[in-house]
Amino acid sequence: MKKNILTYIILGSLTCMGMSSCSNNLELSPISNYSDAVYWKTADQFDSFVVGLHARFRTHERSFLFLGELRSGTFGNDPGTTASFTGEASQGIERMWQHNLDMDNPGVSNFGGLYDQINQLNLLISKLNISTVLTEDSKNYYLGIAHGMRAFYYFQLYRSWGDAVIQTDAIDKIDVSNLAKEASPAAEVLKLIKSDIESSNAGFGTDYSIRQARSFWSKGATLMLQAEVYLWSAHREGGKQDATIAKNALTDIKSNLSLGLQPDFKNVFDVKSNGNNEMILGIRHKLNEASLGFISDFVPNANILVNFYDSLSNRSFSVTQDNYGGILRVPTRINTYRNYHDLDERKNSSIQAAYSKDDVGNYKIAGCFLYKYQGEQNAGSRAYSNDFPIYRYADLLLLMAEAKVILGESPKEEINQVRARAFGSHYQESIFGYPNQIIDKDPVEAILNERKLEFLAEGKYWYDLRRFGDKYVFAHTGLSSQEAYKLLWPIDRKSLTNNRALKQTAGYPQF
């Protein structure tokens, strides 16, 4: 590792995210002057670096959402959409849900920038392993964070591109396109992910604390990742053995963390309840500090919206009240909105429908847009200071239901906890509870549909379909089984140009 590697790190003390662990007494030199001779010498410096990792984690939420959901069929256009809601200046984003990506229109370029963080995690792991300035407990806790986060990043790469460049040593050039290193087979990537999860759990040991108002990676986050990873393999070669590992990880969380569903679905995302006890891990945002990195693509410009109506409030949209401030490049499908039962509180808490109105006052739906993240009003504008969930208790419940189905057990308890919250005072188990809905005849479809309704715009549903198996992708999206290679993403031309050891994802036109 070259001594100037610290030129490339994001120091936590420079982007403190409003977190109390940033030391006011830490004296910093300019980043360009940093070297191993002056850094990694105090516990404060390690603390600062870990905070910086979480600040960088926040910069990747757009990639997490795009990779995890935009190809799932929940977003896009469908019959009945008015022109104003078909996507303003879409800039090729529509290619994701149309499934016509290629190396020049890859949807997500440079592997989503995820290798930037992987390199920082590699650096932290290498320094922790030789450090003598930290207590053993602090060193192990940070190793738990580093290995868990690295596994999470590689799991994004694994599910999106299959084969991936494996880099576990810190290097002074963080652009994977310049590594001149070939990708390892997907099976080797999965092996690394599982190894990192094991190392993360060992690092955390019996420390289940969630720091910084549930915005720091924790043992709970690693166990949630472990459940996801082993359910993925359980649906393939791992079967009941891997499903048992997943179930045990989820049971471990329930036994050692104080978690629960928020009584009202809207409260999960209300800025006033950021860090609530449903969150296992959320990406933190804060007024005048940082806002959701993707939201402007999912909400409309007020000048367009004022021509339409909110039928529930029986009013026209207004610039002052509905100042979403976006350019609607990613409309929510009308069909997604209609998939919710009218008594399901998630329907109008997650999606805003916009209507036109004829001369006699009849409403006709014109389009939909994302409503889940409302932010807060500040000095006449809307600030999107909502936390972005990575893992929350509802996710734990539905992953548990999934594990139980694989193991031949009933998922009733977990599914019905989620549905009871969704329907609130309207909930009647005999009508809405499992197994009393038509979709419940197939428990897999019941779980997938519940996840679609619960986790809209949380970057999960495409990955959910992929996890359950290819046939579910073909059944629920516009992707045809004749183009199965498109289950994975293409590699962009620049990465292929700069790293000649890389090969284009199989099935796409070769470079």
Side-chain angles (χ1 to χ4, degrees), residues 475-495:
H476 293 283
T477 74
L479 185 60
S480 165
S481 59
Q482 281 70 50
E483 295 182 303
Y485 69 91
K486 292 183 178 180
L487 290 165
L488 297 174
W489 295 67
I491 300 174
D492 61 284
R493 184 181 293 274
K494 183 177 180 181
S495 293

Side-chain angles (χ1 to χ4, degrees), residues 125 201 213 263 500:
I125 290 169
N201 278 323
R500 291 306 179 95

Side-chain angles (χ1 to χ4, degrees), residues 31-265:
I31 291 177
S32 60
N33 293 337
Y34 269 51
S35 71
D36 286 355
V38 297
Y39 205 71
W40 310 111
K41 302 302 182 184
T42 68
D44 275 348
Q45 290 172 333
F46 277 94
D47 294 344
S48 179
F49 191 88
V50 171
V51 174
L53 287 174
H54 288 84
R56 185 186 283 273
F57 188 53
R58 184 169 59 194
T59 68
H60 292 137
E61 63 194 0
R62 180 183 176 90
S63 293
F64 298 154
L65 179 57
F66 279 26
L67 290 171
E69 191 158 358
L70 282 206
R71 301 178 65 194
S72 68
T74 54
F75 295 100
N77 309 121
D78 47 10
T81 304
T82 300
S84 297
F85 294 93
T86 56
E88 311 167 52
S90 60
Q91 296 183 322
I93 292 178
E94 75 282 354
R95 285 178 171 268
M96 284 185 265
W97 58 77
Q98 292 173 356
H99 301 288
N100 61 351
L101 301 171
D102 56 38
M103 73 178 77
D104 294 308
N105 303 279
V108 175
S109 299
N110 192 31
F111 301 97
L114 304 184
Y115 279 100
D116 293 351
Q117 181 82 326
I118 288 172
N119 195 58
Q120 304 307 307
L121 293 162
N122 292 342
L123 175 60
L124 178 61
I125 290 169
S126 69
K127 294 302 178 183
L128 286 169
N129 283 330
I130 61 173
S131 175
T132 60
V133 302
L134 293 170
T135 66
E136 199 66 20
D137 285 346
S138 291
K139 178 189 292 189
N140 288 335
Y141 196 90
Y142 285 164
L143 282 169
I145 289 176
H147 282 286
M149 290 186 80
R150 189 169 72 179
F152 180 82
Y153 274 85
Y154 268 110
F155 197 40
Q156 309 294 316
L157 295 168
Y158 169 80
R159 291 181 293 182
S160 299
W161 287 277
D163 300 348
V165 174
I166 290 179
Q167 184 67 36
T168 56
D169 295 325
I171 56 176
D172 70 338
K173 195 67 175 176
I174 61 177
D175 184 355
V176 69
S177 65
N178 290 314
L179 282 174
K181 186 175 183 180
E182 64 182 357
S184 296
E188 291 298 310
V189 181
L190 184 59
K191 183 178 179 181
L192 170 65
I193 292 165
K194 290 182 175 181
S195 175
D196 263 342
I197 288 171
E198 183 177 341
S199 296
S200 178
N201 278 323
F204 284 120
T206 58
D207 190 340
Y208 291 84
S209 62
I210 307 179
R211 304 180 182 181
Q212 302 299 344
R214 302 173 187 265
S215 67
F216 260 34
W217 194 275
S218 65
K219 179 154 189 172
T222 293
L223 290 168
M224 286 293 291
L225 176 61
Q226 183 174 22
E228 273 198 299
V229 169
Y230 279 86
L231 284 173
W232 181 284
S233 55
H235 285 294
R236 290 159 176 80
E237 72 285 347
K240 290 186 177 182
Q241 181 177 348
D242 282 6
T244 299
I245 294 173
K247 183 182 177 183
N248 290 342
L250 298 169
T251 301
D252 192 351
I253 299 171
K254 290 182 68 176
S255 300
N256 290 285
L257 290 174
S258 179
L259 299 168
L261 295 176
Q262 287 286 291
D264 188 327
F265 180 75

Side-chain angles (χ1 to χ4, degrees), residues 329-345:
R329 295 188 173 98
V330 187
T332 305
R333 293 185 62 200
I334 293 174
N335 189 58
T336 301
Y337 181 69
R338 288 175 172 163
N339 192 46
Y340 291 86
H341 192 284
D342 285 343
L343 296 179
D344 188 335
E345 295 178 4

Side-chain angles (χ1 to χ4, degrees), residues 30 119 261 383 395 404 410 434 447:
N119 195 58
L261 295 176
D395 198 0
K404 284 185 171 183
S410 171
Y434 183 92
I447 293 170

